[in-house]
Amino acid sequence: MSRERLYLFDTTLRDGAQTNGVDFTLSDKLAIINLLDSLGIDYVEGGYPGANPVDTTLFSEMRLLNTTFTAFGMTRRPGRSASNDPGLAALLEAKAEAICFVAKSWDFHVKVALETTVEENLASIRDSVRAAIAKGREVLLDCEHFFDGYKANPSYALACAKTAHEEGARWVVLCDTNGGTLPHEVEAIVREVVKAVPGDHIGIHAHNDTEQAVANSFAAVRAGARQIQGTLNGLGERCGNANLVSIIPTLKLKPEFASKFEIGVSDDQLKLLARASHELDDRLNRAPNRHAPYVGESAFATKAGIHASAIVKDPATYEHIAPEMVGNRRKVLVSDQGGKSNVLAELERIGLKVNKDDPRIGRLLEVVKEREAIGYAYETADASFELLARRMLGTVPKFFDVTYFDVKVEQRGNGAGGETLTTAVVKVKVGDEMLISAAEGNGPVNALDVALRKDLGKYQKYIEGLKLTDYRVRILNSGTEAVTRVLIESEDESGERWTTIGVSANIIDASFQALMDSIITKLLRAGAPT
Ligand SMILES: [Zn+2]
């Protein structure tokens, strides 16, 4: 049975750019466009030419892409002709294959916000779609506040949709702009709309204000819509837009959708999903959401002992899909709640072959429990667990020794003109060679990190691509004294990530432990010689 084509439209760079604290540069935008293109997204909306210099530059030249590169903008202003509207003119000149217009479809908004008549708003839609088609563009019309508009005045909301369709717009997109519509309402309304405009010309643009943007998108598809608009990681104003990172695998892997629809994302492209999601977070300088469905670090993590032993027997017992399909991986958490089976499962994943009756397994579990009692958390720090296990099984080479370090924090001057300077000095012994490095940093941990990684002699080339992507500190109270737990997340040039841990009464010492584990992990993974 042939499947129907369902189209994906990404608006990370336009609607997603409305997120608090998100500000894309031109190079960010170009990198994200390529990322989306490599994922197989049908449409990528780059921005709003004319609205700001970045977007204007972005649309000043033709981009060679597989995706349909789309410019966003307003329909012609009321009271103006299409040929006498500078905003529309700029949009029509943009180097894009498609234009997505936004227009009001709620009569209340037309009268109050736009201060015009309902007839003039329809004329504006008609003229704008016509002008863009005359320019050879594929046209989409975003019907703003469609669902609220439909509830207030269904015939007017429908008239907006029909006008665009009759003028030749490829897509009429129903927007839940305020994000408050519920899935059963979306489904019922879209069922009515597809009686007037065919479903293969209808799109859904859902916001996440009741945390149902993904569900609303699927409700619209069930009712006949054939385009979904969303963003990577659900980026977007307020609570965000529909999250394409959750939508894509559901469409690809759940029979309800996979048996009926085909999307532009291939099985191989689906495997890039976790990486793409993390790459966006990296650009935004955010730590990825560990609990994100499909792609989060915890999405396939199991903690309790009985679950873990079942997972070792057959992963399908506790997993709804195989993590590799979306580029994620299974993680069996090692913690004091778990038993031997967790440790064994994790050792197997790492690639350490140990007999399950080996007495060292019991000893390793004891050490994990002792250390967790004083503040270590190996379920997060997978790389530190791996080092601990490898050390106990006797397979971590001694790459180098830090024989001395000194960190100095100095306050010079006072008041507003004062300055805090931090310097670190590190002595490292690599083989017979003694190396000494000094560095300044924006804080003690940064200075120590820079000094430590400045010169590792023959190992320097292995750590060049290593970067710290996240640094988290928690003060824990264990009985009478407070200890500091430091978690460091690292990433290398191949995009591989790992987390290491350090615990101490002293924050510098805790950070040092985590830094050392990170570097040694990298050297191990790179196969550096001893
Ligand atoms: Zn929106």
Side-chain angles (χ1 to χ4, degrees):
M1 200 183 86
S2 79
R3 294 175 299 166
E4 244 185 290
R5 184 72 159 83
L6 187 63
Y7 294 84
L8 298 173
F9 182 106
D10 180 278
T11 181
T12 304
L13 300 176
R14 201 274 303 170
D15 226 3
Q18 301 300 314
T19 315
N20 242 339
V22 167
D23 211 359
F24 294 119
T25 63
L26 184 62
S27 65
D28 286 336
K29 286 208 167 190
L30 291 171
I32 294 167
I33 289 165
N34 286 324
L35 189 67
L36 292 162
D37 198 30
S38 65
L39 270 179
I41 306 294
D42 301 292
Y43 295 83
V44 172
E45 192 172 52
Y48 192 166
N52 60 68
V54 166
D55 287 0
T56 304
T57 313
L58 182 66
F59 286 101
S60 65
E61 53 182 290
M62 216 56 201
R63 312 273 165 202
L64 267 179
L65 300 160
N66 294 314
T67 188
T68 303
F69 193 47
T70 308
F72 172 87
M74 313 260 269
T75 50
R76 74 155 173 82
R77 279 199 277 168
R80 293 224 180 195
S81 71
S83 56
N84 186 27
D85 182 326
L88 180 60
L91 188 57
L92 294 175
E93 285 314 310
K95 299 278 191 290
E97 296 163 83
I99 292 177
C100 182
F101 288 110
V102 59
K104 307 270 181 213
S105 55
W106 185 357
D107 58 348
F108 167 67
H109 266 264
V110 172
K111 290 171 204 154
V112 176
L114 214 52
E115 294 183 24
T116 189
T117 63
V118 288
E119 294 80 14
E120 174 62 4
N121 185 54
L122 289 176
S124 160
I125 292 172
R126 189 181 312 122
D127 294 348
S128 306
V129 172
R130 201 176 282 174
I133 286 176
K135 268 276 187 185
R137 302 292 193 270
E138 182 176 337
V139 180
L140 299 93
L141 183 86
D142 271 5
C143 294
E144 210 185 31
H145 299 290
F146 184 86
F147 294 93
D148 297 310
Y150 187 93
K151 287 182 203 170
N153 184 344
S155 65
Y156 187 69
L158 275 178
C160 295
K162 268 160 74 178
T163 299
H165 177 62
E166 283 163 11
E167 284 302 326
R170 170 68 185 88
W171 294 102
V172 176
V173 183
L174 313 180
C175 301
D176 186 26
T177 310
N178 291 351
T181 312
L182 303 177
H184 68 278
E185 298 175 304
V186 168
E187 193 160 345
I189 292 172
V190 174
R191 278 199 202 288
E192 291 307 310
V193 175
V194 297
K195 292 175 186 164
V197 177
D200 58 0
H201 290 269
I202 294 291
I204 177 76
H205 175 112
H207 278 263
N208 203 30
D209 298 72
T210 70
E211 212 172 19
Q212 299 187 86
V214 169
N216 280 344
S217 305
F218 292 139
V221 169
R222 270 197 300 272
R226 293 296 175 257
Q227 185 195 92
I228 299 177
Q229 297 201 344
T231 60
L232 282 180
N233 295 348
L235 214 63
E237 204 172 11
R238 306 187 310 273
C239 317
N241 285 55
N243 186 358
L244 286 179
V245 174
S246 298
I247 288 172
I248 291 168
T250 301
L251 291 174
K252 290 277 299 172
L253 303 175
K254 299 295 166 184
E256 152 93 9
F257 297 106
S259 64
K260 296 184 190 124
F261 304 108
E262 199 177 345
I263 60 173
V265 181
S266 69
D267 293 351
D268 281 341
Q269 286 167 319
L270 185 64
K271 292 184 183 130
L272 304 173
L273 195 66
R275 180 87 189 271
S277 165
H278 296 155
E279 256 181 67
L280 180 74
D281 286 326
D282 269 357
R283 287 217 158 250
L284 299 174
N285 206 14
R286 297 175 164 190
N289 173 9
R290 282 166 196 284
H291 303 286
Y294 294 105
V295 298
E297 247 199 87
S298 299
F300 300 95
T302 302
K303 188 165 177 172
I306 44 161
H307 292 188
S309 62
I311 274 195
V312 174
K313 287 175 198 146
D314 183 354
T317 48
Y318 285 93
E319 285 170 358
H320 72 118
I321 62 155
E324 297 75 22
M325 296 173 109
V326 293
N328 206 341
R329 68 174 174 86
R330 174 172 310 126
K331 202 168 161 187
V332 179
L333 304 175
V334 177
S335 84
D336 55 3
Q337 283 183 36
K340 211 166 139 182
S341 50
N342 291 47
V343 173
L344 278 169
E346 187 60 9
L347 292 179
E348 191 179 307
R349 194 195 61 76
I350 295 167
L352 275 176
K353 297 235 175 311
V354 197
N355 188 308
K356 72 178 184 3
D357 301 317
D358 190 319
R360 290 178 300 176
I361 304 287
R363 179 69 197 124
L364 177 60
L365 190 58
E366 283 305 302
V367 172
V368 167
K369 286 183 177 182
E370 280 163 30
R371 293 189 145 218
E372 294 209 333
I374 58 168
Y376 285 83
Y378 286 108
E379 62 180 70
T380 319
D382 51 351
S384 286
F385 170 76
E386 181 175 342
L387 286 179
L388 183 71
R390 286 188 185 277
R391 282 195 182 107
M392 290 200 60
L393 301 167
T395 55
V396 177
K398 201 167 190 63
F399 295 108
F400 61 91
D401 257 328
V402 175
T403 58
Y404 169 92
F405 74 78
D406 174 34
V407 181
K408 202 161 76 183
V409 181
E410 218 180 316
Q411 174 81 31
R412 286 188 193 163
N414 51 31
E419 207 185 353
T420 305
L421 293 172
T422 314
T423 47
V425 176
V426 177
K427 284 187 195 170
V428 183
K429 194 164 177 263
V430 182
D432 295 331
E433 211 182 353
M434 197 56 138
L435 304 162
I436 179 158
S437 305
E440 287 185 349
N442 57 24
V445 176
N446 177 245
L448 183 64
D449 175 38
V450 176
L452 187 59
R453 296 201 281 150
K454 211 170 192 176
D455 189 4
L456 267 189
K458 62 172 176 173
Y459 295 123
Q460 193 59 28
K461 63 172 185 274
Y462 296 100
I463 61 165
E464 227 101 75
L466 174 67
K467 55 178 183 168
L468 308 188
T469 51
D470 197 22
Y471 174 84
R472 297 192 295 280
V473 177
R474 260 189 82 181
I475 310 296
L476 310 164
N477 278 309
S478 67
T480 50
E481 54 170 352
V483 295
T484 305
R485 173 199 287 166
V486 170
L487 285 165
I488 289 179
E489 201 174 280
S490 309
E491 192 185 326
D492 69 8
E493 62 282 359
S494 69
E496 224 185 302
R497 291 165 170 270
W498 60 89
T499 304
T500 54
I501 191 167
V503 174
S504 168
N506 183 312
I507 185 171
I508 307 264
D509 184 42
S511 306
F512 180 74
Q513 293 173 23
L515 282 172
M516 287 290 285
D517 273 9
S518 169
I519 294 172
I520 293 166
T521 297
K522 175 61 193 162
L523 292 178
L524 267 178
R525 293 188 181 186
T530 50

